[in-house]
Amino acid sequence: MDAATPLNNRIAAGLVFLTSGAVLVLEIVGLRLVGPYVGVTLSSSTAIIGVALAAIAYGAWTGGWLADRRGDPRRLLSPLLLLGAAATAATLPIVRVAGAWLRDAGPSSVLLLAAMALFVPAALLSAVTPLVVKLQLADLAHTGRVVGRLSSVGTLGAITATFATGFVLVATVPTSVILLVLAGVLALAGFGFGGYWRRTGNLSAAAAFVVIGVPLGIVTPSPCDVETAYTCAAVGEDGGEGRVLFLNGAQHSYVDLGDPKHLEYAYTQWIGSYVDGLPAGPLDVLHVGGGGFTLPRYVAATRPGSDNLVLELDPALVELDRRRLGLRTGPLLRVETGDARAGLRRQPSASRDLVIGDAFGHLAVPWHLTTRELVTDVRRVLRPGGVYALNVIDGPARRFVRAEVATIAAVFPFVTLVAPRPALRGETGSNFVVFASTSPVRAMPDSLTGEELRAFVGGARVLTDDYAPVDQLLTWD
């Protein structure tokens, strides 16, 4: 085939559609890959999007430069597809190895891990479109039509990949499978185009794909027992009947399979102690966040006849709890899956004695569950004198917990903050538990209230639906 012969329109459109879509698949899956190590936060989302855009820009610029430097740019298409396949397959082991190393390396680790996950494969694949454009420009009189058509096809590929990955693939297929299948599709396209043009593909790139990418992607250990639509979940054992639930790599819950009254973590002990001090008899309790269901099971065991309703976002996590953590639901321990804020809005006014908020992770905090509007709805659901107990995790800077206490104090007249003294002084990070009510809150050891609490909050700004920069406030420094 002569170098001046335009590339077949359908093949050109297929290459642009495939590579543009592949970049978006990598971008969406990239956030799932880095989440277990650096959290699913605004910072990690921003890093993934920024790195993807940088890779697209660099790849497009480089592809255009190569298109003008090579007499026949089509000879580069098969190697680029095969190298893109190899880089895509290698992404999985690279992130898993580097993620464990960078987990506690500080804020820069988010950007570095995002770059390691995305930049090389996205840049290689983004270089394809300008090469295809050059190969389609047989007649300069039709430049606008060619560029517009291929740009439209590329955008359509990106949109298709975004919807398919976000709504279908992530919810039904593990991330590792998505990446390896994508790498396989790209490799087939590379071999296929090599056969179409030269009958043989680029053997060195093919060897890199087969020898490096796929085997490493298969054998590298996954940090997840279950990868849900929302999190990477794993269950660890302590040698006895204790089980630890990890969400995105961070400890979230401890469950004693033989004793639901056992509370391992200090923050659960503080909440449990407060529950124990309430008037005798069953309680109507709403739990915002399920996790390992430690506190719902504690209330059910210590207050027989209590009504526990748990609002948990992730149905796959609930199924994992049933399989691995011994969760048994029934009329007095019920689960509603879906967004907790929407679930809270459905609750009748003055229907609960206690609302327990335990939906905040280490670095992953749903911002819409932190605001004054949410707290106002909690107060609506509580009976007069009912208590809101909220678990908050923050670092030594204490910016987030101060803002959260200020927010709760803007709604409830009586607020108490419980935490270890070193954490209250800003010497270490910790769990903090906020107790709030329309009636005086019972004093507890290591607690701040009244003027001490106001001094702790200082000038912290109330969080609202219009202003809740949780990711910026919550830093582990």
Side-chain angles (χ1 to χ4, degrees), residues 30 33-34 37 90-101 113 116-118:
L33 287 177
V34 305
Y37 308 102
T91 293
L92 190 64
I94 288 172
V95 171
R96 286 179 177 174
V97 172
W101 175 55
L113 194 58
M116 296 175 75
L118 280 182

Side-chain angles (χ1 to χ4, degrees), residues 253-265:
S253 305
Y254 182 96
V255 174
D256 189 323
L257 298 180
D259 182 10
K261 298 180 182 180
H262 175 73
L263 300 177
E264 181 75 11
Y265 300 147

